């Protein structure tokens, strides 16, 4: 119930239940991690990288600490030290969710994940990061007089970041389209590219689209650019005309922010780390893995194109999501005060 007598919906009252929900999450996550530890199932599995099952104990420890900290918040309130611990745990779980976006993409295209347990771990840690962040901000109580800001574009520097994130994808899209249209790039022909995709376990949908000149990653990049510009333009806050029945309705904040935060948390570190690896390979510090490329030089060329696109887009998405968060955040409405006369009494007082 708000101060003006209105009842808050469950999602508007999130500060009241965030702590308890996080305790429940920590309990479930701890049990999941313990089961994987006892069964010897590694939770760190991404591509060719496979961690030892003994490292699962770290995830169990994070879950136990999260349960204790959130239990203390529920019982004693949000103290400064507890807030710091919550943000530390939020960062750790956010890092553990790395790779979630890649798994979502592979599932959308009909492919399987490298490890069901690792994919479940990434999904659970992503949920945990959101709940821990909500608990850390649980003292920001909702008010009944909150006003939703009018739709507005992002500041010019943020829009320039969106331009940079869009332009960075052009060489990547060009490389993919060369293969999709029957050309050769970096020593790999269109037929060889399809054969590589098939050898790497690409789904039937993926291979069918590629054989017809449509690369799935280019389509996903186009969706990513659409999301990026929705975060910086007013039509990302109110549904535009072409949405038909949704026209003029407010866009729920979680709708663009959820994929934006997942994408930023995945693509930014992936791209930046990839750029670091390419730099070390270009300077001769490490040897570039050849992979499916004809030579290490061809692999490095493709690596530069891909990593620049992912890093620039990830950073731009982070900046745009932060701007969208602040521009759409409800602001408290100032309470109305009666107009007083020079003597300090309201006009109604003397009647």
């Amino acid at each position: 119930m708000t101060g003006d007598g209105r009842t808050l919906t469950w999602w508007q009252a999130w500060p009241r239940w965030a702590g308890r929900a996080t305790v429940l999450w920590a309990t479930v996550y701890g049990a999941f991690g313990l089961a994987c530890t006892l069964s010897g199932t590694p939770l760190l599995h991404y591509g060719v990288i496979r961690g030892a099952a003994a490292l699962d104990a770290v995830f169990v420890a994070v879950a136990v600490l999260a349960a204790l900290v959130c239990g203390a918040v529920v019982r004693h309130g949000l103290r400064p030290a507890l807030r710091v611990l919550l943000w530390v745990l939020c960062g750790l779980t956010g890092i553990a969710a790395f790779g979630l976006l890649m798994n979502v993409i592979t599932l959308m295209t009909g492919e399987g994940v490298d490890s069901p347990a690792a994919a479940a771990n990434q999904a659970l840690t992503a949920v945990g990061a959101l709940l821990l962040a909500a608990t850390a901000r649980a003292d920001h109580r909702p008010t009944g007089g909150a006003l939703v800001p009018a739709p507005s574009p992002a500041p010019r520097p943020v829009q320039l970041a969106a331009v940079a994130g869009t332009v960075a994808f052009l060489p990547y899209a060009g490389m993919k389209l060369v293969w999709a249209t029957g050309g050769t790039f970096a020593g790999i022909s269109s037929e060889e590219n399809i054969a590589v995709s098939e050898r790497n376990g690409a789904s039937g949908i993926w291979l069918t689209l590629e054989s017809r000149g449509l690369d799935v990653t280019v389509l996903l990049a186009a969706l990513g650019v659409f999301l990026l510009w929705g975060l910086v333009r007013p039509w990302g806050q109110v549904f535009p005309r072409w949405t038909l029945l949704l026209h003029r309705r407010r866009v729920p904040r979680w709708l663009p922010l959820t994929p934006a935060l997942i994408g930023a948390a995945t693509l930014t570190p992936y791209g930046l780390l990839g750029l670091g690896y390419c730099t070390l390979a270009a300077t001769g510090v490490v040897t570039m893995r050849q992979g499916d490329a004809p030579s290490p030089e061809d692999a490095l060329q493709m690596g530069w194109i891909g990593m620049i696109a992912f890093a620039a887009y990830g950073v731009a998405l982070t900046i745009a999501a932060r701007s969208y968060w602040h521009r759409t955040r409800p602001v408290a409405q100032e309470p109305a005060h009666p107009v007083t006369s020079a003597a300090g009494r309201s006009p109604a007082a003397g009647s």
Side-chain angles (χ1 to χ4, degrees):
M1 185 74 69
T2 63
D4 59 0
R6 291 185 295 171
T7 302
L8 292 173
T9 60
W10 68 271
W11 57 269
Q12 290 175 319
W14 62 265
R16 301 175 184 174
W17 52 258
R20 292 181 175 85
T22 312
V23 172
L24 177 61
W25 164 83
T27 303
V28 173
Y29 182 56
F32 169 76
L34 183 60
C36 291
T37 302
L38 295 177
S39 64
T41 305
L43 293 177
L44 289 176
H45 191 165
Y46 185 75
V48 297
I49 302 175
R50 184 186 179 101
L55 294 175
D56 293 355
V58 176
F59 295 102
V60 178
V62 169
V64 171
L65 182 57
L68 293 174
V69 172
C70 293
V73 170
V74 172
R75 185 175 181 82
H76 303 290
L78 189 57
R79 308 292 175 82
L82 295 176
R83 190 196 301 271
V84 172
L85 287 174
L86 286 170
W87 283 120
V88 170
L89 291 168
C90 177
L92 292 174
T93 52
I95 293 173
F98 175 78
L100 175 61
L101 178 62
M102 304 304 181
N103 284 329
V104 172
I105 291 174
T106 57
L107 290 174
M108 288 174 57
T109 55
E111 299 181 56
V113 296
D114 295 325
S115 167
N121 181 63
Q122 292 165 2
L124 284 170
T125 50
V127 172
L130 293 175
L131 288 174
L132 287 164
T135 305
R137 293 179 55 84
D139 55 346
H140 294 265
R141 297 287 178 179
T143 59
L147 293 176
V148 179
S152 62
R156 184 173 179 79
V158 178
Q159 297 198 44
L160 291 176
V163 172
T166 302
V167 172
F169 258 132
L170 295 180
Y172 178 82
M175 176 181 68
K176 293 288 189 174
L177 288 175
V178 167
W179 287 326
T181 54
T184 300
F185 186 88
I188 301 177
S189 66
S190 175
E191 294 77 12
E192 290 171 331
N193 182 58
I194 294 177
V196 168
S197 298
E198 188 173 4
R199 186 167 59 249
N200 291 337
S203 66
I205 298 175
W206 188 294
L207 295 174
T208 299
L209 290 175
E210 277 197 346
S211 64
R212 296 182 178 179
L214 294 174
D215 187 273
V216 177
T217 56
V218 174
L219 298 178
L220 293 173
L223 289 176
V225 171
F226 176 81
L227 170 64
L228 179 61
W229 283 99
L231 292 170
V232 301
R233 300 302 302 167
W235 56 263
Q237 300 168 49
V238 175
F239 287 105
R241 292 181 180 178
W242 51 265
T243 55
L244 302 179
L245 296 178
L246 295 176
H247 180 214
R248 294 183 179 178
R249 293 178 180 269
R250 295 289 305 198
V251 176
R253 295 179 75 209
W254 61 265
L255 186 59
L257 282 175
T258 299
L261 293 175
I262 294 175
T266 300
L267 296 179
T268 304
Y270 179 74
L272 293 178
L273 290 174
L275 281 179
Y277 179 76
C278 288
T279 302
L280 293 176
T283 55
V285 177
V286 299
T287 302
M288 186 72 182
R289 291 189 302 169
Q290 184 172 335
D292 297 309
S295 68
E297 291 73 21
D298 292 321
L300 181 59
Q301 181 183 7
M302 292 187 292
W304 279 121
I305 292 175
M307 293 305 111
I308 289 175
F310 295 143
Y313 177 79
V315 172
L317 193 62
T318 303
I319 295 172
R322 183 179 183 275
S323 173
Y324 187 91
W325 176 280
H326 287 290
R327 292 183 357 258
T328 59
R329 183 170 55 185
V331 294
Q333 183 179 9
E334 294 294 332
H337 296 285
V339 179
T340 58
S341 63
R345 295 184 302 168
S346 64
S351 60

